Amino acid sequence: MLTTIEGVDFDTAWPRKLPATVVDMPVFVMGLEDLLANKRAAGREKDLKDVERLIKRHGDPAAE
């Protein structure tokens, strides 16, 4: 669970949240656009590889 994020502010990300379920508990998660922005801002090699995989699988919402 993240308590702070880089590259995205809460007021922007909250309206774009997505519902999910974790261990039978309803939760909200960041939308793809915000997740990509966060991972790019983190800049770690692992995060940048995640960005590549996510875009390959789901497309890049910034390009739409």
Side-chain angles (χ1 to χ4, degrees):
M1 178 186 302
L2 298 173
T3 57
T4 62
I5 57 175
E6 299 176 35
V8 179
D9 69 46
F10 180 84
D11 292 333
T12 301
W14 183 251
R16 298 191 294 216
K17 67 191 177 295
L18 300 171
T21 303
V22 177
V23 190
D24 296 324
M25 176 179 270
V27 297
F28 291 111
V29 297
M30 282 190 280
L32 179 60
E33 183 175 352
D34 297 317
L35 179 60
L36 291 171
N38 173 245
K39 287 190 166 288
R40 286 177 174 134
R44 299 178 306 179
E45 184 177 336
K46 177 193 182 315
D47 291 303
L48 298 176
K49 287 181 180 179
D50 288 343
V51 167
E52 290 175 21
R53 283 190 289 270
L54 287 164
I55 289 173
K56 186 174 183 177
R57 183 168 185 177
H58 301 286
D60 188 350
E64 295 175 3

